[in-house]
Amino acid sequence: MTDSTNPACLHPHPDDAARLIADIPSPCVQNHAANLMPLPNGDLACVWFGGSQEGKSDISIYFSRLPAGGACWTEAVKLSDDPARSEQNPVLFPAPDGALWLFYTAQKSGNQDTSIIRCRVSHDHGRTWGPIGVLFDKAGTFVRQPVVVLDNGDWLLPVFYCRTRPGEKWVGDDDVSAVRISSDQGRTWSEVEVPGSVGCVHMNIGKLPDGSLLALFRSRWADHVYQSRSTDGGRTWTAPVPAGLPNNNSSIQFVTLANGHLAVVFNDASAAQATGRRASLYDEIEDEAAGATPAAAAPQPAARGRTAFWGAPRAPMTLAISEDGGRTWPYRRNLETGDGYCMTNNSELQLNREYSYPSIKQTGDGALHIAYTFFRQKIRYARVDEAWVRGGSR
């Protein structure tokens, strides 16, 4: 069932009848960083952050659902509202005991090195939520990707750390990745560092059919998607190396399909396509944190090697398939195309033309569910299958 009269309801893409799309309702000017999650009751949930502009204190976490068997996404519900922090990068986790966890970041203005991780828990598939708590209070901790549950019951939550040296403004040059591991259902956590991961963030872990783990990373250098592997349940990881896909310093996400293949959604672009460069992610907003320095005037890090590249085009939005555990990606098809202009994050001016921060999941019927940022103005949902990628592969 579809409804082309309501953009929040499933309907065929105007240029591709095999691709169903919908635009998830939101009251916000800016909407970004969606994460999808199928729920045990058959609903499909989506969380993202919305407000006036990333980094500002009116940015909060929002939630919508596509009910099981339904055709329309529900109106957005706000799940956080801290007037002192920008709350970003939500992640949903349906725990084995039936509880639904929400993890998200909370930072002071454009200072990602001030971020902590907060959480809430629902026991009715996200209809009501418990109190907000702090999961990790180490400043600079960020999340973006889902929790993985191993066969032994361990929870693996990938994190990355936004680091600076004293007196510096965060710009992303020294970010590193790690994995938080809980063997007691989230009550306590240990940590494993990913060696050689400077510049590799948004670590996305997936289980492979042979029992090993694959992680894919966003690159602050805007060169490649990077990969790392573990053969001991995430206790140790190889140093990240290029994965055979480009990256533009924007988020990616992959999922292991029921047939053992991998599907990744990413921007098929890198700094090589860039005609301009931004100073930082937050070079448009003034710092709202008391006593902090506005981003445009902040002292920048002393030279220490590679520097983060901001402003590479965030388009096309591409879906790719691997049949060999992520070693090659021979099948690729674009969900969206355009110039991907992202030299501004200001959604009120409606100049941004990026497709970014995708999330992908597969349900038991084989469908691939994808959500992504559309021009920083809305979250678009798309539904295809693996055959769709192969049918239009280039």
Side-chain angles (χ1 to χ4, degrees), residues 345-358:
N345 285 343
N346 187 321
S347 295
E348 293 177 342
L349 299 179
Q350 298 188 350
L351 298 177
N352 182 291
R353 296 184 294 275
E354 72 182 70
Y355 307 107
S356 63
Y357 274 61

Side-chain angles (χ1 to χ4, degrees), residues 72-90:
C72 302
W73 287 88
T74 61
E75 292 297 321
V77 176
K78 184 187 286 191
L79 297 185
S80 74
D81 191 10
D82 184 343
R85 288 182 179 253
S86 184
E87 297 167 304
Q88 304 178 185
N89 285 21

